[in-house]
Each structure stands twice: as structure tokens, then as C-alpha cells.
Amino acid sequence: TVAGHLPQASAKRLLDVASEHKITPFMLLHGALSLLLSRHSNTHDIVIGTPVANRLQAELEPLVGFFVNTLVLRADTNLDTHNNQLSDYLAHIRQVHLDAQSNQDVPFEQLVERLKAPRSAAHTPLFQIMMLTGGDFETDGELTLPGVDMHAYQADLVQEKFDLTVSLNISEQGVRLNWSYDVSLFTQQHIEQLNDHMCRLLEGMSAVSSEENSLSDLSVLSKDEIGHLVFNVNDTYMDFANDKCIHQLFEQQVAANSEQLAVIFDNEKITYQQLNQKANQLAHYLIQNHQVGPDTLVGLCVERSIEMVIGIMGILKAGGAYVPLDSSYPQDRLSYMYENAELEVVLSQTQVANVLSGFDGAVVSLNEVNCSSYPTSNPTTALTTSNLAYVIYTSGSTGKPKGVMLEHLSVVNFLEGVQQNLSVSADDKVLGLTSINFDIHVLELYLAFSHGASLVLASEPQKRDPLQLSALIEDKQVTLAQATPSTWNMLIDINWQSEQAMTVLCGGEALPLQVLSALQTNLPNSRIYNMYGPTETTVWSSMALLENHDIHLGKPIANTQLYLLDDNQQLVPNGTAGELYIGGDGLARGYLNRPDLTAERFIENPFYDANKPGSTTLIYRTGDLVRYQRDGNLGFVGRADDQVKIRGFRIELGEVESQLEALDLVDSAFVAAKALSGSEQLVGYIKPQNSVLDTTDFASNVKTLLGQQLPEYMVPSIIMVVENWPLTPNGKVDKKALPQPDAQALQGEYVAPETAAEHKLTDIWAQLLNIESGSVSITANFFDLGGHSLLCIRLVSEIRRVCAVEVSVQSIFDNATLQDLALVIEQSTQAATRPVLLAQELEGEKVPLSFAQQRLWF
């Protein structure tokens, strides 16, 4: 137990406040306790139980017996509902009590039965916190009866029936508080913190006399706690090269390591000197022919290649900022991006330039343009560190993607911040695995180039095939590799193990414990970091070296400030989940051509201090809920909105829902992320415009149409048809009541496998898609059952392992039904066992046996 006390003067003022607001002292204490629990839980719906005498009838007064009942008091601490005023809040508390007392004769057990509250041996139903008030015995400390003298005894250990029991008593002698708690849920330090905060809250309420006082003025935190949460945890100042742009860091390495390999791609290699010269020539070409300069946006629509790297560095050296355009995106999405960015020039390649057919500006093909006549010297521009380096488009909640603008200063600060922990040097080889359309490519490219390391650039086939990817890491002796947990899991599936010393970075989505454990086992000599950060604060804002099974987000990198705030943008107590706001030198300029959205997400910093180095006037609202752990590291809790991370891609569910509802087939739609097939996947719930006879065909049509508007990773893996939306009591769609995807319903009528290949495939599909073995129909479609591009890679690996046959990822897309894919496997098996035709010797030369064999050789 923990005890607290407020002096007589405070108690008297609290009694005056209760009288002023026409409430009882117990109501006032209940309101304070509810407000305290709301601050510590960062929720507004606070439910507390309390006992009542239940002797409303006069006939019961002389009877001896236990008539006590339990009341459930449900308070709403939502500041908006009560206009943020203490008087409105206390009036609400008064009404809660009056309503509860008028029904105190309803037995608590009957209430639980009627409400069908879930029962559990772990906690009491309806509420887990009990509030009691003491009488004169507790207040005075003594009670005298004829022949008996009694006094209060405070036990150090009690048998607690609830998670938390709070005894509060207020009288003219003072306020007494007593907390007894479940030691399996709380520590004494935590309860002592609650007690201190409750006393501070009551002191604040005792000083209130005007009805116009705001609830937000009632602080529970001490000055020392505020100083710790604002300044101590954010003491991250580091002096860095804030006068250097990204490409200037690269040029420093060119001068120091000119013959060092800068990029290794397949069988191609290019040194720092060669890369610098080619990028310089391209930069001079862009300046002279397309007037590229500071803050000029240049599109980049290319395949992975050394030309891609030359294009990026050439744009930066010309003073411009690059805008990645993924050639696999639907035409409408690409059109929106280059129109929104107001691009006048796009760097591309002949093999992908066709996707830019609707672009009105200049398209420069990197594999055709001749820059050999341009100078190889570093161009001189008016560029400063406050100019843009790149614009990355991310999913937008309004139905359109939004472009995040990052400046050179932010990127350089990020590079030097992570370098404090990673210590990259010219001896390192950094794996370039990430698409340039995903902002974490910034670490791979520029951390290597700013410290003289070699970039090992993975090709598209190597990215998709875990065998090729693991071979690339081993063959090139990669020392630093960054990937999403989904990609690491792909390598774990083939049981890839390595004894070489590596730095492994995991980021882009939540890191599952089983993935961390497997990495620690399979890569025993590697350092494993968990990385966290939104695009709007330059790639990663915090990082954590994981040395055990405790997965957390670590602490902020250099010149980065983290604030955990509630809905009213007030600091939450240490250990409480709050929404994360980020400030510092990594902050983006905002969203391109979206001042409204920029103002909504980049808000004024209430803790800005001009005298504190690194303090920024703005902070970014992430929407992520986090809390500080006891060791001072950040722990991830969840999201405050509908944004999700799928395979490392940030997706606003509102954008997918908006595109679904724009389809003629759809009346209304909801999209949810659900754990299916061992990973998070999108599930689209659709109420059609008209009745649907064939749900499988309907789902296929919806996916096809949606794929014309959204990239593959944003198209729901599963489409569920609903006739009517389940509703909550207040008439809103009850998302929790939406049906769970059912494999049998998604695949239609069951048809049993017959051939050996079909039997093997049904087992593989059941394992990958988490479906009951023996229930997969041969007519089922892999993608209709929840398959996606990453699962395709795992499917290829399993087919290779089980069937000893090599199939491509593309063949799965082309043969999506189990029956068709089994036929491909059978044909591949037959081809592998067909006798080999040998060439005959004719006058010392080998000649084909037939014209057909000659064609086969060709």
C-alpha cells in the first residue's frame, strides 16, 4: 500500500470548491481521480466502481445485515465535450452520480448478467478500479466504544480484490489517500507517482475559484518531471557539418578515395572518381539544357542500375531535387505525381520511358543522352543546405499521395546522427536493397558515399529471390544491410545463416519477436538495430541496438527531440502512452503544394526554447502511440489513426477506401489491416451497388479496377462482400464486428487435388496462407486467398524446396490458380528429366542433331 496526505488548509479549500459547484466532497474526489486516471491512460472513458449502503427505504434502517451494493461510475473526461472548463466537467460528474444513485438498488450481479460482460478470472467485470471513502474512524484515527478503545492499523501487505483500490477521505482535518494495488500489474514507484500526481491535482483544484478555469490548467506533473520529459531525454545536441550538402560529402570522399569502388552492380563497377565525373557531366548538361537549379524538381523514373545512381547524384550536383517515380505505378498515380510536382524534366531510360507517354515535359533517357562533351569538374551552383534534396510521395488520407519535401541540412544531420552508432568507413560494403521510392534508400546511398564505403546495389531479381539475395550478401561480403522485417523473414524462411560480422538494420514496420530471435540465432556475429522514423523527419529518428529479446525503439538520434503528448497536446506522465511529436534538424519542410496538410501535421512547438541548441519552432505529429519504458527507451504501442504499415509501406486506409468508393461497382467500403498468413495484410470490405451472384468474380473485378489507380502494395489482398454494415448502438459502422476472412468462402466450391503436383501445392498453400490443410481447392486463386508479392517469393522458395523445380515469380502471377500452377510445375519437372541431346562431331566441330535443336540453342 501507499499513503498520501494533504494539509488542513487544502482540504478546506476543496470543500469550498465542492460547495461552489454544488457537489459533494466524494463527487469532487471522484472527478479528480477520474481525471488523474485519464491523464495516465490517455483515454477519456474512465470507469470506477464504488460501494453504496443501499438502504434507501426507511424500513431497512433498523435492520442488521449487509445490504451493500456496487455502483459503476462512468466518467467522460473528453475536454472537447465539456468545453475544456472545470465547471462543465464537475457538472458532468454530478450527473453521473445522481444517475447512479437513483439506480443503486439494481444488483451489480444482475447488471453484469444483463450486459453479458465478458467474465475472466484475471479481473472483475465492468471495472477494475475501486474507489472508497473512509468515515470518522479513518479520519480521526481512533474510535471509542463502551469498554473498547480502537485505532487504525495500516497493513503493509493486503489481499487485493481489484487491480487498484483507492481510499479517499476529505474533512476539515485534511485529505487522506490510501492506495492498495496488484503487485503483478503495478510497481510501488508507479503507485507513488500516482499518489504524488493526485495530490498535485487536488492542490490545483483547491486553488480554483472561478468557473472559467480550464481542465488543461490542472497539471499533474512537477517541474522536475516536465524538465526531464522536455529537456533531459532530448539532450541530443551534436555539432555537425551544417554547411555541407549531400553531394559535397560525396565529393570529399572522391578527393580522399578516388579509386575506391563506389558502386557494385551485377558485373559492373564504378569508382568514386568515375561516378563523380559522370555525375558532373550530367549536372552540367541539366544546368545548361534544362535550367536545373536550387529547388528545381526533377523526376527520376529508372530501373535499378548504376545509371540510377548517376542520375541521382547528377540532379543533386546541378542543385536540383529528385522526385522518384516508380514505373510500376498505375498511369493515373504517376500522372498525379508529376502534375502535382509541376515537373518539367524527367530522367528515365528507354526501357521504361513508355510509362511517361502522358508527360508534357522533357524526358531525358540516361542510356541515350551523350554528356561526354560536358565538363567533368564539380559544377558551381547557388545551392545552400536549406534547399531541397528530394521529394518522396507517400500515401495520403484524402485519396491522393502527398509529397514530403526534405532539405540537404536534414539529410546531412541524419547521416551524421546514425554514423555516431554505426561507424561506417571505407572498409565497409553497404547493401543497396531499397527502392528509391521508399525513403530509407537515403541511408543506403548517402551513408556509404559520405564515408567512402562501397554500395552493393541489388538488382530486381536479387531483391525478390532470397537465394540470390543471400548469395549477393555472402559473395560481396556486405558489412551493413538494411531491410524491413518482412524481407529479413524471407531470408529466415530459407534458413540463411552467416558467420560474417554485419550490421543489420530492421525498420519500416514493427519487428516481430520471432524475426529478431531468428536473426540473433542465424547471424551470431552481427549487431542488430531496430530503426524508427517517419518520412517527414528524415528516414530514422531513433534507433536501438537490440542485445536481448526486448524490442523497443531506443532513443532519439542526434539533434532530434521527442515529445509524448495527449489529445490536448499536454505532456503525458512518464510511462504513459502518448502520441509522438518529433522536432529537430531532421524536420521536413512540409508537404509539396499542400499548405493545409502541412499546417495540420507540422504544428508550433510548445516547448521551443531559443536558448536551447537544436530546438525548433515546429514539431511533427506522427500519429504513433509510444511510451517510455523503465530503462528510458521508447516502446511502440500502436496508431492514433487509420495509418498502417504493410511490408514496410506506409498506407493511409482512407486513401484505399476513397479509391474503392469511387468505383461504380461499390456503394461503400471499409479497409482494415489484419494479421493473415503470418503478416499484416489489407482486407477490403465492400457493400456493392447491386446484388452480387459470384463474389469471387466480383472481388477479382474490384482488384483489377483498383490496381489501375493504386500500386500493388495498396490493393487489398482480400475482398469481402457484405450485404449490410454491422452498426454500433450510436449508428456507426462497428469495424470490430466485420467478418474475419474465410478461406472456404473466398475460393468458392471445393475441388480436390488429383495429381502429385496439386497435392504438394495444396500443402504449400495451406502453410503459407495459414489455411487448414486439405481444404484448399485446386480452383482457388492464390491472390484471392490473401497472397501478395512477398508471399510469391516465399512460394517460389517452397516450390524449389518441395518440388525441386524452379518457377519464376512472374509465372505465379500468370498462373494464379492452384491447378494452373501445378501444370507449370509438372511441365518443368518433365523438362528437367527429358534426356539431353548431344551434338555430333563433324570434322572436329560440334553440329546440332536437328534444325529444332539448333533453334533451341539459339
Side-chain angles (χ1 to χ4, degrees):
T1 60
V2 172
H5 180 263
L6 286 177
Q8 183 178 3
S10 298
K12 188 176 184 306
R13 290 195 300 268
L14 285 170
L15 291 172
D16 291 339
V17 171
S19 176
E20 179 183 350
H21 290 278
K22 298 180 175 59
I23 59 176
T24 67
F26 182 72
M27 291 179 184
L28 181 66
L29 294 174
H30 170 239
L33 180 59
S34 295
L35 195 57
L36 173 74
L37 296 175
S38 176
R39 298 279 179 88
H40 273 261
S41 63
N42 201 10
T43 57
H44 299 300
D45 191 1
I46 304 299
V47 182
I48 297 174
T50 191
V52 287
N54 198 21
R55 290 176 178 264
L56 295 178
Q57 293 82 11
E59 295 82 2
L60 297 177
E61 292 182 7
L63 297 180
V64 176
F66 190 75
F67 295 91
V68 172
N69 190 23
T70 302
L71 290 185
V72 181
L73 305 174
R74 186 175 187 177
D76 180 3
T77 64
N78 191 321
L79 305 182
D80 294 333
T81 301
H82 306 298
N83 199 27
N84 206 27
Q85 300 302 315
L86 176 63
S87 57
D88 293 332
Y89 174 66
L90 292 180
H92 163 69
I93 292 294
R94 180 176 183 271
Q95 192 60 49
V96 167
H97 279 260
L98 292 177
D99 291 342
Q101 294 290 347
S102 65
N103 293 283
Q104 68 170 267
D105 56 345
V106 178
F108 176 75
E109 292 76 12
Q110 182 179 343
L111 184 65
V112 172
E113 181 182 348
R114 290 290 182 89
L115 293 176
K116 294 181 172 58
R119 307 303 296 265
S120 170
H123 57 77
T124 57
L126 300 185
F127 70 92
Q128 288 81 49
I129 298 174
M130 174 67 80
M131 177 180 172
L132 306 174
T133 183
D136 291 339
F137 172 73
E138 183 177 342
T139 303
D140 299 332
E142 295 181 359
L143 179 65
T144 301
L145 296 174
V148 180
D149 291 334
M150 306 175 66
H151 61 88
Y153 173 76
Q154 182 68 46
D156 294 329
L157 186 64
V158 297
Q159 191 70 30
E160 184 52 59
K161 300 179 180 65
F162 304 94
D163 293 354
L164 181 64
T165 297
V166 189
S167 298
L168 302 170
N169 187 71
I170 182 171
S171 69
E172 293 184 355
Q173 284 73 41
V175 179
R176 294 190 178 185
L177 306 89
N178 188 273
W179 309 73
S180 56
Y181 56 94
D182 186 340
V183 294
S184 67
L185 298 176
F186 302 100
T187 64
Q188 182 166 341
Q189 181 182 6
H190 189 189
I191 300 301
E192 287 174 348
Q193 181 190 46
L194 282 172
N195 180 70
D196 291 344
H197 290 177
M198 183 68 171
C199 291
R200 190 168 293 108
L201 184 59
L202 288 172
E203 287 281 14
M205 294 177 77
S206 71
V208 171
S209 58
S210 170
E211 293 187 357
E212 298 305 316
N213 283 95
S214 170
L215 282 182
S216 59
D217 294 335
L218 299 173
S219 176
V220 301
L221 301 176
S222 67
K223 289 184 179 180
D224 288 343
E225 287 176 305
I226 293 173
H228 173 74
L229 294 172
V230 173
F231 301 114
N232 293 0
V233 299
N234 290 318
D235 185 15
T236 61
Y237 176 75
M238 179 191 73
D239 190 22
F240 70 103
N242 56 10
D243 60 338
K244 292 287 189 296
C245 294
I246 300 170
H247 58 280
Q248 291 172 331
L249 298 180
F250 167 73
E251 289 166 358
Q252 289 178 340
Q253 294 302 319
V254 172
N257 301 289
S258 61
E259 298 306 313
Q260 168 84 349
L261 287 179
V263 185
I264 302 169
F265 177 74
D266 283 343
N267 296 320
E268 301 178 63
K269 299 176 182 177
I270 189 170
T271 66
Y272 270 78
Q273 181 70 26
Q274 292 168 335
L275 175 58
N276 190 53
Q277 291 178 348
K278 289 182 179 295
N280 285 339
Q281 290 178 316
L282 177 61
H284 285 292
Y285 167 83
L286 293 174
I287 293 170
Q288 294 182 30
N289 294 278
H290 298 284
Q291 293 73 54
V292 173
D295 279 3
T296 301
L297 300 185
V298 180
L300 190 63
C301 184
V302 293
E303 291 182 340
R304 298 179 69 78
S305 58
I306 289 180
E307 288 173 346
M308 178 191 79
V309 180
I310 294 171
I312 290 174
M313 297 307 297
I315 294 171
L316 294 177
K317 282 171 166 286
Y322 62 97
V323 183
L325 302 170
D326 194 326
S327 60
S328 68
Y329 282 177
Q331 188 65 54
D332 288 350
R333 192 175 185 85
L334 280 176
S335 298
Y336 173 81
M337 290 167 66
Y338 57 66
E339 289 171 5
N340 178 256
E342 300 175 354
L343 299 180
E344 295 184 1
V345 59
V346 174
L347 302 189
S348 187
Q349 295 164 313
T350 52
Q351 59 266 38
V352 294
N354 61 304
V355 302
L356 300 169
S357 57
F359 178 59
D360 294 332
V363 178
V364 178
S365 179
L366 289 174
N367 51 355
E368 286 188 341
V369 64
N370 186 0
C371 299
S372 58
S373 61
Y374 291 88
T376 59
S377 58
N378 297 330
T380 301
T381 67
L383 189 71
T384 69
T385 58
S386 62
N387 289 119
L388 291 179
Y390 62 86
V391 174
I392 292 279
Y393 276 85
T394 67
S395 179
S397 59
T398 59
K400 294 292 185 182
K402 53 185 182 290
V404 185
M405 301 181 288
L406 273 301
E407 300 172 353
H408 282 265
L409 177 75
S410 298
V411 178
V412 173
N413 174 74
F414 159 71
L415 295 174
E416 298 203 15
V418 296
Q419 173 66 2
Q420 274 190 322
N421 296 283
L422 302 182
S423 302
V424 173
S425 70
D427 296 327
D428 282 298
K429 290 184 178 178
V430 179
L431 180 65
L433 183 63
T434 310
S435 164
I436 61 170
N437 300 277
F438 193 7
D439 70 323
I440 67 175
H441 79 273
V442 169
L443 180 143
E444 297 167 357
L445 268 65
Y446 307 133
L447 191 61
F449 292 161
S450 61
H451 295 92
S454 298
L455 176 71
V456 179
L457 190 63
S459 65
E460 284 296 338
Q462 289 168 335
K463 286 176 56 180
R464 291 196 299 262
D465 189 331
L467 286 179
Q468 292 190 51
L469 180 57
S470 59
L472 177 69
I473 294 173
E474 295 284 347
D475 293 345
K476 304 302 182 184
Q477 296 183 317
V478 168
T479 59
L480 189 150
Q482 171 186 248
T484 64
S486 297
T487 301
W488 288 119
N489 195 44
M490 180 179 74
L491 291 168
I492 292 168
D493 281 344
I494 64 167
N495 196 30
W496 172 60
Q497 301 180 32
S498 177
E499 296 293 330
Q500 70 184 52
M502 290 176 55
T503 298
V504 171
L505 307 184
C506 303
E509 59 185 332
L511 174 62
L513 179 58
Q514 63 268 26
V515 173
L516 172 62
S517 299
L519 287 174
Q520 291 172 332
T521 301
N522 293 5
L523 308 175
N525 299 318
S526 294
R527 296 184 301 166
I528 301 174
Y529 285 89
N530 194 26
M531 316 294 287
Y532 165 81
T535 304
E536 288 83 349
T537 59
T538 314
V539 194
W540 305 130
S541 299
S542 72
M543 58 190 301
L545 178 61
L546 304 180
E547 297 179 310
N548 49 42
H549 290 335
D550 178 25
I551 298 177
H552 54 84
L553 305 181
K555 296 177 181 178
I557 66 168
N559 302 318
T560 300
Q561 293 86 47
L562 309 179
Y563 306 102
L564 277 61
L565 309 181
D566 60 19
D567 292 346
N568 203 39
Q569 293 174 357
Q570 301 280 322
L571 287 168
V572 299
N574 197 21
T576 298
E579 184 173 354
L580 179 60
Y581 291 70
I582 302 179
D585 289 324
L587 213 59
R589 184 186 292 184
Y591 298 111
L592 181 64
N593 297 324
R594 293 294 306 273
D596 54 336
L597 190 58
T598 299
E600 177 186 330
R601 304 301 294 189
F602 294 82
I603 67 169
E604 289 188 13
N605 183 359
F607 313 106
Y608 172 68
D609 186 346
N611 297 319
K612 290 288 183 181
S615 184
T616 52
T617 57
L618 298 178
I619 51 177
Y620 171 69
R621 182 177 187 176
T622 67
D624 287 325
L625 298 177
V626 299
R627 66 160 52 93
Y628 281 114
Q629 300 178 168
R630 295 177 193 173
D631 57 6
N633 290 306
L634 276 181
F636 183 75
V637 176
R639 286 291 300 178
D641 55 22
D642 288 335
Q643 186 187 110
V644 298
K645 285 285 187 75
I646 303 292
R647 308 196 298 279
F649 294 101
R650 193 169 90 180
I651 300 172
E652 297 280 0
L653 298 182
E655 180 177 0
V656 186
E657 291 171 352
S658 176
Q659 294 292 349
L660 277 172
E661 291 178 345
L663 301 178
D664 293 337
L665 298 172
V666 178
D667 174 75
S668 53
F670 281 95
V671 179
K674 294 192 176 287
L676 302 167
S677 308
S679 63
E680 287 281 308
Q681 296 188 45
L682 291 184
V683 178
Y685 295 91
I686 295 176
K687 183 180 179 182
Q689 285 282 9
N690 304 301
S691 60
V692 174
L693 298 178
D694 188 339
T695 56
T696 302
D697 186 56
F698 176 81
S700 179
N701 289 337
V702 167
K703 284 187 178 183
T704 300
L705 293 172
L706 198 61
Q708 296 171 5
Q709 306 295 324
L710 298 175
E712 177 269 334
Y713 66 85
M714 293 183 69
V715 177
S717 301
I718 293 175
I719 298 293
M720 299 286 290
V721 177
V722 297
E723 295 183 2
N724 295 294
W725 296 115
L727 301 178
T728 62
N730 60 4
K732 295 183 179 180
V733 173
D734 186 357
K735 293 186 178 181
K736 293 181 180 179
L738 291 170
Q740 186 74 7
D742 176 62
Q744 194 61 44
L746 294 170
Q747 66 182 348
E749 184 179 354
Y750 174 76
V751 180
E754 295 181 356
T755 68
E758 289 173 350
H759 278 284
K760 291 178 180 178
L761 267 186
T762 56
D763 291 338
I764 294 173
W765 283 29
Q767 175 192 349
L768 291 181
L769 299 170
N770 198 24
I771 299 172
E772 184 181 350
S773 182
S775 64
V776 181
S777 172
I778 64 172
T779 60
N781 185 293
F782 183 72
F783 300 101
D784 289 344
L785 293 181
H788 49 75
S789 57
L790 194 59
L791 272 182
C792 281
I793 298 171
R794 296 177 61 188
L795 179 56
V796 167
S797 297
E798 284 299 298
I799 291 174
R800 180 190 297 121
R801 182 181 67 83
V802 175
C803 304
V805 168
E806 192 72 37
V807 297
S808 66
V809 171
Q810 187 59 48
S811 67
I812 296 174
F813 281 94
D814 296 338
N815 303 275
T817 67
L818 189 146
Q819 191 174 31
D820 291 343
L821 187 57
L823 184 59
V824 171
I825 292 173
E826 289 170 356
Q827 292 171 345
S828 300
T829 303
Q830 292 171 4
T833 57
R834 187 175 298 127
V836 179
L837 296 178
L838 300 175
Q840 290 181 329
E841 294 282 346
L842 182 61
E843 296 181 357
E845 294 184 1
K846 290 186 178 180
V847 296
L849 292 176
S850 65
F851 178 69
Q853 187 183 16
Q854 187 177 29
R855 290 186 60 196
L856 179 62
W857 284 358
F858 177 77

